[in-house]
Amino acid sequence: MDIRKVVIPVAGWGTRSVPASKNIPKEMLPIYDKPVIQYIVEEAVKAGIRDVVFVASQNKKVVEDHFDYNPALEMVLREAGKTALLDKVLHAAELVNIMSVRQKKQLGLGHAVLCAREIVGHDDAFACTVGDDLMFGENVPAGIPQLVKVAQEHNMPCIGVMEVPADKVNRYGIAMGDEIEPGIIKVSGLVEKPAVGTVSSRLAIVGRYVLTSDIFSYLDKVKPGAGGEIQLTDALAMRAADRGLLAVKMNGLRFDAGDWVDYLAANVYFGLRDEKIHDDLLKRIRSLVQA
Ligand code: G1P
């Protein structure tokens, strides 16, 4: 199974992040010194993926521009001798190839993936990740790299899952099934945003997928589901019933950048990982907590 591209839907309004995202795409909000989207693209790069397909709407050009050169800024940094900063700016520009397709109406995650059909439909398989959930593993592959490995070993599409509290299942797609190997579940059913108390499973889809090209024929058949949207979860439920699907318990940490507590926690986490600011940041946090 050859996985060369990652599809990242970035067309949503980001209403959870308003007013911060009023005129800035939510994917461009910073987590410490990088925008959210760079963490997600870097995760895909760790899986050897170099082709990124943004499924975008109007006003998302800055997301694409972040992964391109900015000659004026580069010149300023070069002339000022700020080479460390220049390297960071160039790193983002040289990370991946960018393709983009318009999602002209925001009809759901499944619809967003359908919009990428002409670009990825001829590949055997491709990765897909939502643009606002960060996954990070310190010394273990987490997110897309972990999923790609399992998908290739089993020659099967895969979804990333994590256990969530029973009273939060209504925020996610929930997977049911039997564990066939430690951390790998053969999916027997999927339900998008079930009401609390209606499902026994607490395995939530965390917005990480390795999809095979047959997903498009299932998406063609999907009727509007939860929230009136064309749900990727519903197409995956059909695929699971017909030809199988695996759910993989994800390693590492997850931060939902659209949730303010997670967003702020991610800033603290990635800030503390930088030894240049670790001590000062910790001191500051301690004094704020005591205040
Ligand atoms: C989407 C998926 C859902 C998944 C979630 C993870 O929902 O439809 O299955 O659990 O991403 O973030 P959304 O958050 O876009 O409503």
Side-chain angles (χ1 to χ4, degrees):
M1 190 187 269
D2 197 19
I3 299 161
R4 310 176 66 85
K5 300 191 183 96
V6 61
V7 172
I8 312 181
V10 294
W13 279 103
T15 47
R16 289 191 297 163
S17 304
V18 160
S21 61
K22 184 180 165 193
N23 282 304
I24 303 167
K26 61 178 172 159
E27 297 80 9
M28 292 305 292
L29 295 178
I31 304 273
Y32 180 34
D33 63 350
K34 296 187 287 194
V36 169
I37 193 69
Q38 188 171 336
Y39 290 86
I40 289 166
V41 166
E42 284 174 348
E43 178 193 317
V45 168
K46 283 187 202 154
I49 292 171
R50 305 303 292 220
D51 294 333
V52 172
V53 181
F54 288 126
V55 182
S57 54
Q58 290 173 28
N59 312 322
K60 298 282 178 159
K61 190 174 165 291
V62 286
V63 177
E64 293 165 34
D65 288 349
H66 184 71
F67 298 97
D68 200 348
Y69 293 105
N70 182 334
L73 175 61
E74 288 153 24
M75 198 175 75
V76 167
L77 294 173
R78 201 170 281 120
E79 282 178 0
K82 295 183 173 171
T83 47
L85 293 178
L86 177 63
D87 286 350
K88 287 187 180 183
V89 168
L90 291 174
H91 166 74
E94 289 165 359
L95 203 52
V96 284
N97 303 317
I98 293 297
M99 288 163 254
S100 114
V101 60
R102 279 288 172 96
Q103 185 185 17
K104 297 182 188 174
K105 292 180 180 175
Q106 274 74 73
L107 301 180
L109 182 58
H111 176 257
V113 173
L114 259 178
C115 292
R117 183 184 219 154
E118 287 304 318
I119 305 183
V120 294
H122 299 293
D123 295 19
D124 301 345
F126 58 95
C128 175
T129 167
V130 295
D132 53 8
D133 255 321
L134 265 69
M135 302 279 312
F136 196 79
E138 195 74 53
N139 295 310
V140 282
I144 294 293
Q146 189 189 351
L147 222 46
V148 163
K149 189 165 176 287
V150 177
Q152 286 175 334
E153 276 167 12
H154 292 260
N155 200 25
M156 187 64 88
C158 292
I159 57 174
V161 293
M162 275 180 153
E163 275 190 15
V164 295
D167 63 346
K168 301 246 161 49
V169 292
N170 57 345
R171 298 183 184 183
Y172 300 93
I174 299 293
M176 275 73 70
D178 294 320
E179 197 151 350
I180 51 168
E181 286 174 33
I184 301 182
I185 294 116
K186 186 173 187 306
V187 175
S188 58
L190 287 171
V191 46
E192 180 69 14
K193 308 215 170 72
V196 169
T198 59
V199 284
S200 52
S201 173
R202 293 193 287 116
L203 289 177
I205 304 173
V206 291
R208 296 293 184 281
Y209 310 85
V210 169
L211 303 170
T212 41
S213 58
D214 61 348
I215 195 65
F216 294 110
S217 54
Y218 294 109
L219 281 167
D220 280 336
K221 293 184 203 137
V222 166
K223 301 268 179 301
E229 297 188 339
I230 304 292
Q231 297 290 355
L232 178 59
T233 303
D234 294 342
L236 286 166
M238 290 185 212
R239 160 80 204 200
D242 267 7
R243 307 178 61 197
L245 175 74
L246 297 177
V248 183
K249 287 189 185 166
M250 298 273 88
N251 297 323
L253 293 169
R254 166 178 176 258
F255 300 99
D256 174 2
D259 172 272
W260 286 120
V261 171
D262 265 21
Y263 176 82
L264 295 169
N267 273 280
V268 171
Y269 177 76
F270 287 103
L272 288 175
R273 290 184 79 257
D274 183 346
E275 60 186 27
K276 286 200 296 299
I277 67 163
H278 174 278
D279 292 356
D280 287 345
L281 178 60
L282 197 58
K283 222 181 283 167
R284 197 67 211 274
I285 292 170
R286 285 202 173 117
S287 76
L288 289 172
V289 171
Q290 279 156 12

